[in-house]
Amino acid sequence: MLNILYFGDHRHFSTAFHRAKALERIGHKILRYHNPEETLPGYFKSAVMSAINFRSGYRLLQRHVQQDLEQIVQSGIKPDVIWVDNGEFFGKKCLQILKKFNCPIILYSIDDPTGKRDGRRFDSFLAAIKLYDLIAVVRKETEEECKLLGAKQVLRVMRSYDEVAHAPYENAAEIPLNFKSDVAFIGTWMRNENRDEFIKVLIDAGISVSIWGDRWPKSQHFELLKPYYRGSNLGGKDYIAAIQGAKICLGLLSKGNRDLHTTRSMEVPYAGGLLCAERTSEHTALYNDGTEAVFWNDAHECAAICKKLLAGDQLGHIKKAGMKKVRDLKLGNEDICKLILEKGLSNAI
């Protein structure tokens, strides 16, 4: 059993928390689960300051985060390993403080810290990159770029579902009617990603699309999309209900983040949904197209596939096959966390 000091990711709180619980399920002890944002002075948490911090690489926060970490060091806890999710708050001096624990420090990121989409957001992390004993990432480009920046050890993994949090309803009849749909998209509206344009093509083709997610009223097409908008981001059993209750679930990538698969690529089949996503090298390596998931090259092909599936009798077969495949691939949090820990401890310190 390892004693783990865990620093959660404030932007992906639920996924970070699920990973911490997965580490406990495989036999380790979380000495402390710490979200660095929670201990910041209140004025740093305003919308204006959050935007400034994001755009400046969290430079203004460094003194406060360093003081916070010093207090944790002085608390007397003795971790065997430190796990950092994302790491955007932690600059070089922060890592030097954590080094006082004299144990391996692992960073895991599902973001694209070496990419260009988020400007200077990851400047503090990039300044500290050489001090991590292992950096686990989910993109080939990120893997290569971290190595070029001097990272000691880089491991590329696939994203993961959570074995407990994303488990489907045992009795599908218990799924509330307000989460039933023909085609569902669960995700945030993002500037310059054209997700609204994509869904508009499906609606224009006569397909009923249910949308859950934040910031959709910002879309220039929101008046058209409004009748299909079912509410803000989902979590917990509501998230599972919307996946399992849909006949088809759309998996849209973030091009700005250089995605070739997303967490939805794993969570949807695991939770009993039918994944309908862009045809990429990683998606086609994961699932057999047409039998375990369905893939498309553009919105018009997606619309044609959805129409065919909704009119046919293959929905249940594909859902069942996709669910079996993602389990066979062992891409749950427990398996991925175990792999990261083994790699991080093998050559550390």
Side-chain angles (χ1 to χ4, degrees):
M1 180 187 78
L2 296 172
N3 293 314
I4 301 174
L5 171 58
Y6 198 110
F7 292 96
D9 177 4
H10 70 295
R11 290 187 178 276
H12 303 105
F13 173 79
S14 62
T15 54
F17 184 74
H18 293 157
R19 276 190 289 275
K21 300 304 287 185
L23 286 166
E24 290 182 329
R25 293 197 300 270
I26 60 177
H28 304 300
K29 182 179 181 180
I30 303 299
L31 288 179
R32 182 167 178 174
Y33 183 95
H34 188 75
N35 179 356
E37 187 182 45
E38 290 178 354
T39 55
L40 292 175
Y43 60 83
F44 274 123
K45 300 176 184 179
S46 70
V48 172
M49 284 305 300
S50 293
I52 290 172
N53 289 326
F54 184 98
R55 289 174 172 82
S56 63
Y58 298 93
R59 284 178 174 81
L60 300 177
L61 304 184
Q62 291 306 296
R63 182 171 62 86
H64 296 281
V65 177
Q66 290 160 22
Q67 291 173 349
D68 192 25
L69 295 179
E70 286 285 9
Q71 290 178 0
I72 295 174
V73 170
Q74 293 166 16
S75 70
I77 63 172
K78 297 186 181 301
D80 299 309
V81 63
I82 297 168
W83 183 298
V84 178
D85 261 306
N86 205 26
E88 62 188 341
F89 279 18
F90 290 2
K92 186 175 180 179
K93 288 185 179 179
C94 294
L95 265 291
Q96 290 170 343
I97 293 168
L98 290 176
K99 286 287 183 182
K100 294 178 183 180
F101 281 115
N102 196 32
C103 68
I105 305 176
I106 293 170
L107 178 123
Y108 174 67
S109 177
I110 61 171
D111 271 310
D112 189 4
T114 57
K116 299 184 183 303
R117 189 192 73 173
D118 293 338
R120 308 192 69 88
R121 172 187 172 191
F122 288 100
D123 279 7
S124 294
F125 159 72
L126 294 174
I129 196 170
K130 295 179 182 179
L131 296 176
Y132 286 96
D133 294 289
L134 173 70
I135 293 177
V137 297
V138 297
R139 294 172 184 80
K140 181 177 177 60
E141 297 92 338
T142 315
E143 176 188 21
E144 294 172 350
E145 289 157 4
C146 283
K147 289 177 180 177
L148 288 173
L149 289 168
K152 287 181 185 177
Q153 187 178 197
V154 186
L155 173 67
R156 183 180 167 221
V157 297
M158 301 298 284
R159 290 178 176 84
S160 51
Y161 57 83
D162 188 78
E163 294 85 349
V164 174
H166 300 132
Y169 281 75
E170 290 186 12
N171 182 3
E174 295 178 359
I175 297 172
L177 284 175
N178 58 312
F179 290 115
K180 299 286 183 70
S181 66
D182 282 349
V183 177
F185 177 67
I186 307 165
T188 304
W189 175 86
M190 301 173 73
R191 194 179 304 280
N192 300 323
E193 292 288 354
N194 297 322
R195 291 176 169 182
D196 47 2
E197 298 277 358
F198 187 99
I199 292 174
K200 182 176 179 295
V201 171
L202 271 60
I203 292 171
D204 289 343
I207 296 168
S208 177
V209 184
S210 294
I211 305 167
W212 284 274
D214 291 341
R215 303 213 300 260
W216 282 91
K218 292 179 178 290
S219 167
Q220 64 177 329
H221 301 295
F222 189 66
E223 284 307 308
L224 170 70
L225 300 176
K226 193 172 182 179
Y228 304 90
Y229 183 63
R230 306 277 287 272
S232 58
N233 278 348
L234 298 172
K237 293 301 288 184
D238 288 349
Y239 177 61
I240 304 306
I243 291 174
Q244 199 176 355
K247 295 176 182 176
I248 299 169
C249 285
L250 297 177
L252 303 183
L253 305 176
S254 170
K255 298 302 174 58
N257 251 3
R258 303 187 290 184
D259 285 342
L260 293 177
H261 80 285
T262 72
T263 52
R264 297 282 191 276
S265 305
M266 317 305 177
E267 292 167 358
V268 167
Y270 183 80
L274 191 158
L275 178 65
C276 178
E278 184 173 346
R279 187 177 288 109
T280 68
S281 57
E282 291 179 4
H283 275 151
T284 55
L286 287 165
Y287 306 108
N288 291 323
D289 190 359
T291 58
E292 296 169 340
V294 293
F295 303 127
W296 36 262
N297 290 330
D298 57 36
H300 295 284
E301 184 182 5
C302 177
I305 289 171
C306 288
K307 280 188 172 184
K308 182 178 179 181
L309 286 173
L310 292 171
D313 59 0
Q314 293 299 305
L315 291 168
H317 298 293
I318 298 173
K319 285 185 177 184
K320 185 176 180 180
M323 182 186 285
K324 180 179 185 303
K325 182 61 172 291
V326 78
R327 283 163 170 74
D328 290 345
L329 289 170
K330 297 189 180 300
L331 294 175
N333 276 337
E334 294 171 21
D335 291 300
I336 298 299
C337 286
K338 188 182 299 182
L339 175 64
I340 292 172
L341 277 181
E342 288 174 354
K343 188 72 171 177
L345 295 173
S346 62
N347 297 312
I349 304 184

